[in-house]
Amino acid sequence: MVIYNPEDDNRLEIEKPKRQIVGWSIRVEWDNGEEEDLIDVPDDVSGPIDLWLSEIEQDQHEFNGQGI
């Protein structure tokens, strides 16, 4: 029989390594079923996406560090 210890959950969350996004693309699927990654995104489009992804990274770091 295994006894559940909630402290194990907190320990596991704290021990997760911080992950960082190192690249991204926009994947499209054409009406013929082909998929393509679009990587040459204009600055006025990529800027807001970069900010959004930075927020996602920060939220992930806060979640892992505080065990929420």
Side-chain angles (χ1 to χ4, degrees):
M1 175 195 279
V2 176
I3 299 174
Y4 173 71
N5 183 351
E7 291 178 11
D8 289 339
D9 288 343
N10 292 334
R11 181 180 52 79
L12 291 172
E13 288 176 359
I14 291 172
E15 291 176 0
K16 287 182 185 175
K18 292 183 178 180
R19 300 180 302 165
Q20 290 187 312
I21 298 168
V22 295
W24 58 269
S25 66
I26 297 176
R27 175 164 285 195
V28 297
E29 182 177 347
W30 298 100
D31 58 2
N32 64 358
E34 290 183 24
E35 292 183 350
E36 180 180 357
D37 285 331
L38 305 177
I39 56 173
D40 190 18
V41 181
D43 290 342
D44 61 330
V45 174
S46 65
I49 295 172
D50 286 337
L51 289 173
W52 176 64
L53 293 173
S54 294
E55 290 175 12
I56 290 174
E57 284 179 326
Q58 184 61 37
D59 290 347
Q60 182 258 333
H61 292 182
E62 289 173 0
F63 175 81
N64 284 341
Q66 296 175 4
I68 357 181

